[in-house]
Amino acid sequence: MTVLALEVGAAGFAAGQVDDDIGSDAIRRIPLPDSEPWEGCRDLLLEVAAGTEVTALGIACAGPIDMAAGVVASVEIPQWRTGFAIAEAARKLFPTAAVSMALDGVCLALAERSFGGAQDAMDSLAISLSDHIAGGVTVGGFAVVGRTGNAGSIAHMLVPGFDEPCECGGRGCVEAVASGAAIRRWARGQGWSGDSLSALLASAREGDDIALAALGRAGTTLGKAISSAAALLDIDLVIVGGSMASAGPALWKPLGEAVAGSSRPGYLAGLRVLPSQLGDLGVLAGAGVLALLASK
Ligand SMILES: [Zn+2]
Protein backbone atom coordinates (compact mmCIF):
# COMPACT_ATOMS: atom_id res chain seq x y z
CA MET A 1 0.00 0.00 0.00
CA THR A 2 2.26 2.73 -1.29
CA VAL A 3 1.31 6.25 -2.33
CA LEU A 4 3.75 8.02 -4.65
CA ALA A 5 4.27 11.63 -5.68
CA LEU A 6 6.02 12.63 -8.91
CA GLU A 7 7.15 16.09 -10.01
CA VAL A 8 7.81 16.63 -13.71
CA GLY A 9 9.86 19.81 -13.88
CA ALA A 10 11.82 21.82 -16.39
CA ALA A 11 15.12 20.57 -15.03
CA GLY A 12 14.19 16.96 -14.27
CA PHE A 13 12.06 14.60 -12.23
CA ALA A 14 11.57 14.17 -8.49
CA ALA A 15 9.64 11.37 -6.81
CA GLY A 16 9.03 9.99 -3.37
CA GLN A 17 6.73 7.92 -1.22
CA VAL A 18 4.04 9.87 0.60
CA ASP A 19 3.57 9.07 4.25
CA ASP A 20 0.75 10.18 6.53
CA ASP A 21 2.39 13.53 7.11
CA ILE A 22 2.80 14.09 3.39
CA GLY A 23 6.47 14.49 3.92
CA SER A 24 9.14 12.25 2.53
CA ASP A 25 12.55 11.27 3.74
CA ALA A 26 13.35 9.47 0.51
CA ILE A 27 12.96 11.92 -2.34
CA ARG A 28 14.90 10.94 -5.44
CA ARG A 29 15.77 13.39 -8.20
CA ILE A 30 17.15 12.90 -11.70
CA PRO A 31 18.01 15.51 -14.32
CA LEU A 32 16.01 15.58 -17.52
CA PRO A 33 17.48 12.78 -19.70
CA ASP A 34 18.74 13.52 -23.21
CA SER A 35 16.87 10.45 -24.47
CA GLU A 36 13.14 9.69 -24.11
CA PRO A 37 12.23 11.24 -20.74
CA TRP A 38 9.69 8.56 -19.80
CA GLU A 39 12.41 5.90 -19.61
CA GLY A 40 14.22 7.79 -16.87
CA CYS A 41 10.97 8.78 -15.20
CA ARG A 42 9.73 5.18 -15.20
CA ASP A 43 12.99 3.91 -13.66
CA LEU A 44 12.76 6.60 -11.00
CA LEU A 45 9.18 5.62 -10.10
CA LEU A 46 10.09 1.94 -9.89
CA GLU A 47 13.03 2.82 -7.65
CA VAL A 48 10.95 4.80 -5.16
CA ALA A 49 8.12 2.20 -5.26
CA ALA A 50 10.73 -0.33 -4.11
CA GLY A 51 8.68 -3.34 -5.23
CA THR A 52 5.63 -2.44 -3.13
CA GLU A 53 2.06 -2.26 -4.41
CA VAL A 54 1.35 1.32 -5.51
CA THR A 55 -2.24 2.31 -4.73
CA ALA A 56 -2.08 5.96 -5.79
CA LEU A 57 0.23 8.22 -7.77
CA GLY A 58 -0.06 11.99 -7.96
CA ILE A 59 1.79 13.74 -10.81
CA ALA A 60 2.62 17.46 -10.82
CA CYS A 61 3.59 18.63 -14.30
CA ALA A 62 5.19 21.77 -15.62
CA GLY A 63 2.71 23.16 -18.12
CA PRO A 64 1.00 23.36 -20.37
CA ILE A 65 -1.00 20.21 -19.70
CA ASP A 66 -4.24 18.70 -20.95
CA MET A 67 -5.57 17.54 -17.63
CA ALA A 68 -8.60 15.64 -18.96
CA ALA A 69 -6.43 13.67 -21.39
CA GLY A 70 -3.58 13.21 -18.91
CA VAL A 71 -1.13 14.78 -21.35
CA VAL A 72 1.89 16.91 -20.50
CA ALA A 73 3.21 19.27 -23.19
CA SER A 74 5.72 21.31 -21.24
CA VAL A 75 7.48 23.92 -23.33
CA GLU A 76 10.61 23.25 -21.29
CA ILE A 77 10.82 19.53 -22.10
CA PRO A 78 11.72 19.42 -25.81
CA GLN A 79 10.89 15.74 -26.30
CA TRP A 80 7.37 16.22 -24.88
CA ARG A 81 6.59 19.61 -26.37
CA THR A 82 3.94 18.13 -28.68
CA GLY A 83 2.40 16.14 -25.85
CA PHE A 84 3.08 12.95 -23.90
CA ALA A 85 0.30 10.86 -22.34
CA ILE A 86 1.98 10.56 -18.97
CA ALA A 87 -1.11 9.47 -17.02
CA GLU A 88 -1.70 6.54 -19.37
CA ALA A 89 1.97 5.53 -19.22
CA ALA A 90 1.83 5.65 -15.41
CA ARG A 91 -1.34 3.52 -15.35
CA LYS A 92 0.42 0.88 -17.44
CA LEU A 93 3.33 0.93 -15.02
CA PHE A 94 1.12 0.65 -11.91
CA PRO A 95 -2.15 -0.98 -13.11
CA THR A 96 -3.80 -1.02 -9.67
CA ALA A 97 -2.96 2.59 -8.78
CA ALA A 98 -5.27 5.60 -8.87
CA VAL A 99 -3.26 7.94 -11.09
CA SER A 100 -4.03 11.66 -11.08
CA MET A 101 -2.17 14.60 -12.54
CA ALA A 102 -2.37 18.38 -12.29
CA LEU A 103 -0.37 21.45 -13.18
CA ASP A 104 2.65 22.00 -10.93
CA GLY A 105 1.18 25.33 -9.80
CA VAL A 106 -2.14 23.73 -8.89
CA CYS A 107 -0.24 21.17 -6.81
CA LEU A 108 1.69 23.98 -5.15
CA ALA A 109 -1.56 25.75 -4.26
CA LEU A 110 -2.88 22.47 -2.81
CA ALA A 111 0.22 22.07 -0.66
CA GLU A 112 0.18 25.66 0.64
CA ARG A 113 -3.54 25.38 1.40
CA SER A 114 -3.20 21.95 3.04
CA PHE A 115 -0.20 22.46 5.31
CA GLY A 116 1.73 25.52 4.13
CA GLY A 117 1.27 29.23 4.60
CA ALA A 118 -2.24 29.46 3.11
CA GLN A 119 -4.04 27.22 5.60
CA ASP A 120 -6.02 30.18 6.92
CA ALA A 121 -6.46 31.96 3.59
CA MET A 122 -9.48 31.29 1.41
CA ASP A 123 -8.12 33.28 -1.54
CA SER A 124 -4.43 33.17 -2.37
CA LEU A 125 -1.77 32.76 -5.01
CA ALA A 126 1.17 30.37 -4.66
CA ILE A 127 4.29 30.80 -6.80
CA SER A 128 7.36 28.61 -7.14
CA LEU A 129 10.50 30.27 -8.48
CA SER A 130 13.22 28.03 -9.77
CA ASP A 131 14.48 27.24 -13.26
CA HIS A 132 10.81 27.36 -14.22
CA ILE A 133 8.03 29.44 -12.66
CA ALA A 134 4.90 27.70 -11.41
CA GLY A 135 1.76 29.38 -10.12
CA GLY A 136 -1.52 28.24 -8.61
CA VAL A 137 -4.59 30.02 -7.33
CA THR A 138 -6.93 29.23 -4.47
CA VAL A 139 -10.36 30.85 -4.56
CA GLY A 140 -12.96 30.25 -1.89
CA GLY A 141 -10.67 27.70 -0.27
CA PHE A 142 -10.29 25.51 -3.34
CA ALA A 143 -7.43 25.26 -5.83
CA VAL A 144 -8.60 26.51 -9.22
CA VAL A 145 -7.92 24.06 -12.05
CA GLY A 146 -9.36 25.92 -15.04
CA ARG A 147 -10.84 24.66 -18.29
CA THR A 148 -7.80 22.66 -19.46
CA GLY A 149 -5.94 22.41 -16.16
CA ASN A 150 -3.64 25.40 -16.64
CA ALA A 151 -5.22 28.06 -14.41
CA GLY A 152 -2.73 30.03 -12.34
CA SER A 153 0.02 30.06 -14.97
CA ILE A 154 1.52 33.37 -13.89
CA ALA A 155 4.62 32.42 -15.89
CA HIS A 156 2.94 33.57 -19.10
CA MET A 157 1.45 36.80 -17.87
CA LEU A 158 2.86 39.76 -19.80
CA VAL A 159 4.89 42.34 -17.92
CA PRO A 160 5.11 45.95 -19.11
CA GLY A 161 8.57 47.11 -20.08
CA PHE A 162 9.97 43.75 -21.14
CA ASP A 163 10.15 42.15 -24.58
CA GLU A 164 12.18 38.97 -24.15
CA PRO A 165 11.05 36.01 -26.29
CA CYS A 166 9.42 33.21 -24.29
CA GLU A 167 9.50 29.45 -24.95
CA CYS A 168 5.72 29.62 -25.35
CA GLY A 169 6.07 31.72 -28.50
CA GLY A 170 5.10 35.01 -26.87
CA ARG A 171 7.25 37.94 -25.78
CA GLY A 172 7.63 39.67 -22.45
CA CYS A 173 6.24 36.80 -20.33
CA VAL A 174 7.22 36.61 -16.65
CA GLU A 175 8.93 33.29 -17.41
CA ALA A 176 11.12 34.92 -20.08
CA VAL A 177 12.44 37.52 -17.62
CA ALA A 178 12.25 36.12 -14.11
CA SER A 179 12.65 32.33 -14.23
CA GLY A 180 15.94 30.83 -13.11
CA ALA A 181 16.73 29.89 -16.70
CA ALA A 182 15.97 33.44 -17.86
CA ILE A 183 18.06 35.21 -15.24
CA ARG A 184 21.00 32.90 -15.90
CA ARG A 185 20.71 33.65 -19.61
CA TRP A 186 20.53 37.40 -18.94
CA ALA A 187 23.44 37.32 -16.50
CA ARG A 188 25.65 35.43 -18.94
CA GLY A 189 24.82 38.03 -21.57
CA GLN A 190 26.14 40.65 -19.15
CA GLY A 191 29.40 38.80 -18.58
CA TRP A 192 28.60 36.49 -15.65
CA SER A 193 30.38 33.18 -16.20
CA GLY A 194 28.46 30.70 -14.02
CA ASP A 195 26.23 27.95 -15.34
CA SER A 196 23.55 27.09 -12.78
CA LEU A 197 20.89 28.81 -10.74
CA SER A 198 22.57 27.80 -7.50
CA ALA A 199 25.83 29.32 -8.78
CA LEU A 200 24.02 32.56 -9.59
CA LEU A 201 22.44 32.66 -6.12
CA ALA A 202 25.91 32.07 -4.63
CA SER A 203 27.36 34.91 -6.75
CA ALA A 204 24.62 37.22 -5.49
CA ARG A 205 25.40 36.28 -1.89
CA GLU A 206 29.04 37.21 -2.57
CA GLY A 207 27.92 40.61 -3.86
CA ASP A 208 28.44 40.06 -7.60
CA ASP A 209 26.87 43.08 -9.32
CA ILE A 210 25.55 41.17 -12.34
CA ALA A 211 23.95 38.42 -10.24
CA LEU A 212 22.36 41.05 -8.00
CA ALA A 213 21.04 42.93 -11.03
CA ALA A 214 19.62 39.71 -12.48
CA LEU A 215 17.72 38.99 -9.27
CA GLY A 216 16.62 42.62 -9.14
CA ARG A 217 15.08 42.38 -12.62
CA ALA A 218 13.35 39.17 -11.62
CA GLY A 219 11.99 40.73 -8.42
CA THR A 220 10.64 43.78 -10.23
CA THR A 221 8.99 41.63 -12.89
CA LEU A 222 7.42 39.34 -10.35
CA GLY A 223 6.18 42.22 -8.25
CA LYS A 224 4.36 43.71 -11.24
CA ALA A 225 2.83 40.37 -12.16
CA ILE A 226 1.79 39.71 -8.57
CA SER A 227 0.06 43.08 -8.40
CA SER A 228 -1.85 42.39 -11.61
CA ALA A 229 -2.86 38.91 -10.47
CA ALA A 230 -3.96 40.15 -7.05
CA ALA A 231 -6.07 42.89 -8.62
CA LEU A 232 -7.70 40.39 -10.97
CA LEU A 233 -8.40 37.74 -8.36
CA ASP A 234 -9.14 39.90 -5.30
CA ILE A 235 -6.71 37.90 -3.13
CA ASP A 236 -4.86 39.09 -0.05
CA LEU A 237 -2.08 36.53 0.24
CA VAL A 238 0.73 35.56 -2.13
CA ILE A 239 3.23 32.89 -1.11
CA VAL A 240 6.52 32.63 -2.97
CA GLY A 241 8.66 29.48 -2.74
CA GLY A 242 11.16 27.57 -4.86
CA SER A 243 14.94 27.79 -4.79
CA MET A 244 15.06 31.47 -5.84
CA ALA A 245 12.88 32.51 -2.90
CA SER A 246 15.89 32.05 -0.62
CA ALA A 247 17.78 34.81 -2.47
CA GLY A 248 17.03 37.31 0.30
CA PRO A 249 16.81 41.09 -0.18
CA ALA A 250 18.33 40.91 -3.70
CA LEU A 251 15.00 39.47 -4.87
CA TRP A 252 12.55 40.46 -2.16
CA LYS A 253 13.36 44.17 -1.96
CA PRO A 254 12.66 44.99 -5.64
CA LEU A 255 9.70 42.61 -5.55
CA GLY A 256 8.17 44.45 -2.60
CA GLU A 257 8.88 47.84 -4.17
CA ALA A 258 7.21 46.78 -7.43
CA VAL A 259 4.14 45.56 -5.54
CA ALA A 260 3.98 48.79 -3.54
CA GLY A 261 4.49 50.91 -6.65
CA SER A 262 1.92 49.18 -8.81
CA SER A 263 -1.77 49.88 -9.07
CA ARG A 264 -3.24 49.45 -5.62
CA PRO A 265 -7.03 49.53 -5.55
CA GLY A 266 -8.36 49.82 -2.03
CA TYR A 267 -9.37 46.19 -1.81
CA LEU A 268 -5.67 45.23 -2.06
CA ALA A 269 -4.68 47.28 0.99
CA GLY A 270 -4.01 44.15 3.04
CA LEU A 271 -2.07 42.28 0.35
CA ARG A 272 0.74 40.24 1.87
CA VAL A 273 3.58 38.62 -0.09
CA LEU A 274 5.34 36.02 2.06
CA PRO A 275 8.07 33.42 1.59
CA SER A 276 6.92 29.81 1.53
CA GLN A 277 7.79 27.55 4.45
CA LEU A 278 7.86 24.55 2.09
CA GLY A 279 11.18 25.47 0.48
CA ASP A 280 11.54 23.85 -2.92
CA LEU A 281 9.37 20.87 -1.94
CA GLY A 282 5.98 22.55 -2.40
CA VAL A 283 5.19 21.18 -5.84
CA LEU A 284 6.15 17.60 -4.99
CA ALA A 285 4.27 17.79 -1.68
CA GLY A 286 1.22 18.99 -3.62
CA ALA A 287 1.47 15.96 -5.89
CA GLY A 288 1.32 13.94 -2.69
CA VAL A 289 -1.88 15.74 -1.66
CA LEU A 290 -3.30 14.97 -5.11
CA ALA A 291 -2.49 11.29 -4.68
CA LEU A 292 -4.01 11.13 -1.21
CA LEU A 293 -7.20 12.84 -2.43
CA ALA A 294 -7.49 10.30 -5.26
CA SER A 295 -6.90 7.33 -2.98
CA LYS A 296 -9.73 8.19 -0.58
ZN1 LIG B 1 5.34 32.67 -22.27
Side-chain angles (χ1 to χ4, degrees):
M1 299 286 283
T2 300
V3 175
L4 298 184
L6 169 67
E7 178 181 352
V8 176
F13 300 97
Q17 290 194 14
V18 180
D19 61 26
D20 289 341
D21 297 325
I22 321 182
S24 176
D25 56 3
I27 294 169
R28 298 276 182 273
R29 295 179 189 274
I30 59 167
L32 198 63
D34 293 330
S35 55
E36 168 50 46
W38 176 247
E39 291 176 12
C41 184
R42 179 193 60 206
D43 292 347
L44 177 71
L45 286 169
L46 290 172
E47 181 191 340
V48 296
T52 58
E53 182 188 356
V54 177
T55 54
L57 166 65
I59 308 172
C61 290
I65 64 167
D66 181 335
M67 192 171 168
V71 168
V72 55
S74 170
V75 292
E76 283 116 350
I77 305 177
Q79 302 96 320
W80 288 355
R81 208 168 273 187
T82 56
F84 175 70
I86 193 168
E88 182 186 340
R91 287 188 188 103
K92 282 186 184 155
L93 186 62
F94 302 121
T96 59
V99 175
S100 47
M101 69 171 281
L103 190 70
D104 49 7
V106 171
C107 291
L108 184 68
L110 276 175
E112 294 292 354
R113 174 75 180 138
S114 300
F115 47 82
Q119 292 178 61
D120 300 323
M122 298 294 277
D123 306 286
S124 62
L125 169 65
I127 301 172
S128 172
L129 300 178
S130 56
D131 274 310
H132 152 81
I133 295 176
V137 171
T138 303
V139 172
F142 294 94
V144 178
V145 172
R147 184 176 54 86
T148 61
N150 293 287
S153 297
I154 195 169
H156 300 290
M157 280 178 65
L158 303 180
V159 184
F162 295 96
D163 190 42
E164 278 83 341
C166 180
E167 295 268 17
C168 75
R171 300 187 77 90
C173 296
V174 175
E175 177 88 17
V177 181
S179 68
I183 65 171
R184 279 187 285 125
R185 195 164 49 238
W186 184 86
R188 277 200 297 267
Q190 303 294 311
W192 178 73
S193 58
D195 62 356
S196 68
L197 180 56
S198 58
L200 188 137
L201 295 174
S203 292
R205 278 193 295 275
E206 291 161 7
D208 181 273
D209 287 340
I210 297 172
L212 289 169
L215 286 167
R217 278 178 106 243
T220 299
T221 307
L222 287 159
K224 290 181 178 181
I226 285 170
S227 289
S228 296
L232 176 71
L233 296 165
D234 191 7
I235 55 177
D236 65 353
L237 176 63
V238 179
I239 297 175
V240 181
S243 53
M244 272 170 66
S246 62
L251 178 87
W252 285 90
K253 186 163 180 287
L255 192 158
E257 288 170 353
V259 170
S262 299
S263 168
R264 294 295 296 270
Y267 62 86
L268 293 180
L271 178 63
R272 294 166 295 151
V273 185
L274 304 175
S276 172
Q277 302 304 312
L278 302 178
D280 59 359
L281 293 177
V283 171
L284 185 64
V289 177
L290 201 64
L292 291 176
L293 289 171
S295 66
K296 288 200 165 113

